[in-house]
Amino acid sequence: MWEDVTYDSFLFHAAMDYLKRKQPRLMFVGFGETDEWAHAGRYDLYLTAAHHMDDFVRRLWELAQSLPQYRGKTTFIITADHGRGSGLDDWKKHGEKIAHSEGDWIAVIGPDTPPVGERTQTEPRTQSQIAATIAALLSEDYHAAFPASGAPIADVLAGGETRSGRGRSK
Ligand SMILES: [Zn+2]
């Protein structure tokens, strides 16, 4: 359908298979259908793709929790690579010239993240912090290695500290 995006269902099954067979320490899955359907102005398929993605994330989580090497020690960071505009036309678009598309969200679930529910940010968070947050959860310090990056998002890490800061094993 698209030049550089596959259907999320194909990607989901590949991700499930990869998790089972290769058991990576870190895995990135980039679902792209919602963005494509929004650009095409297909709100019906946009919603369907969003519902499917919710289910794919649930099934990936349940798979991880069914595998001893991941159970109770896996974190999912779920986010979008950009926001979208709003209103009758701008919901299809995003970018510097589209109002409100600078807004974004992040969901984090895992043993190091306090289950505080939905919150509105109290201080600005940016995508520049995500790499360092992932690294902190893996006992690595990305921000020290790449100072131009953002610092880890402390309040998704237990006690606001990195694992390495608490001296925990990897
Ligand atoms: Zn897009």
Side-chain angles (χ1 to χ4, degrees), residues 114 116-121 125 155-156:
V116 294
E118 185 176 341
R119 292 183 299 167
T120 300
Q121 67 184 22
R125 305 267 183 251
D155 52 2
V156 305

Side-chain angles (χ1 to χ4, degrees), residues 88-106:
L88 291 177
D89 194 51
D90 278 357
W91 72 272
K92 302 171 191 170
K93 308 170 198 163
H94 55 85
E96 282 178 65
K97 294 176 180 156
I98 306 298
H100 310 300
S101 67
E102 73 278 12
D104 208 351
W105 55 270
I106 180 171

Side-chain angles (χ1 to χ4, degrees), residues 32 34-36 38-39 81-84 92-95:
T34 51
D35 187 53
E36 297 296 336
H39 283 299
D81 57 343
H82 54 73
R84 307 205 74 82
K92 302 171 191 170
K93 308 170 198 163
H94 55 85

Side-chain angles (χ1 to χ4, degrees), residues 1-167:
M1 183 79 189
W2 307 286
E3 195 169 299
D4 54 359
V5 175
T6 190
Y7 288 114
D8 288 347
S9 56
F10 294 172
L11 179 61
F12 163 68
H13 285 288
M16 292 283 278
D17 184 61
Y18 193 86
L19 193 64
K20 281 185 241 178
R21 290 194 303 115
K22 300 286 187 175
Q23 297 168 5
R25 187 169 177 224
L26 172 67
M27 188 164 82
F28 171 86
V29 184
F31 293 111
E33 267 195 59
T34 51
D35 187 53
E36 297 296 336
W37 292 126
H39 283 299
R42 290 295 307 268
Y43 194 65
D44 55 339
L45 296 175
Y46 173 74
L47 293 182
T48 298
H51 282 294
H52 285 166
M53 206 216 81
D54 284 349
D55 190 53
F56 295 155
V57 170
R58 175 184 63 79
R59 289 160 70 183
L60 280 164
W61 177 262
E62 288 174 358
L63 173 62
Q65 297 309 311
S66 76
L67 301 171
Q69 60 272 46
Y70 292 114
R71 182 182 309 124
K73 43 192 169 184
T74 297
T75 295
F76 275 22
I77 297 177
I78 307 154
T79 188
D81 57 343
H82 54 73
R84 307 205 74 82
S86 60
L88 291 177
D89 194 51
D90 278 357
W91 72 272
K92 302 171 191 170
K93 308 170 198 163
H94 55 85
E96 282 178 65
K97 294 176 180 156
I98 306 298
H100 310 300
S101 67
E102 73 278 12
D104 208 351
W105 55 270
I106 180 171
V108 182
I109 181 171
D112 295 301
T113 302
V116 294
E118 185 176 341
R119 292 183 299 167
T120 300
Q121 67 184 22
T122 52
E123 57 187 89
R125 305 267 183 251
T126 70
Q127 292 176 337
S128 72
Q129 298 177 269
I130 292 176
T133 303
I134 293 167
L137 290 163
L138 294 170
S139 306
E140 305 288 344
D141 193 342
Y142 185 83
H143 189 54
F146 298 94
S149 70
I153 302 171
D155 52 2
V156 305
L157 307 169
E161 300 172 35
T162 63
R163 280 185 163 197
S164 55
R166 298 196 313 272

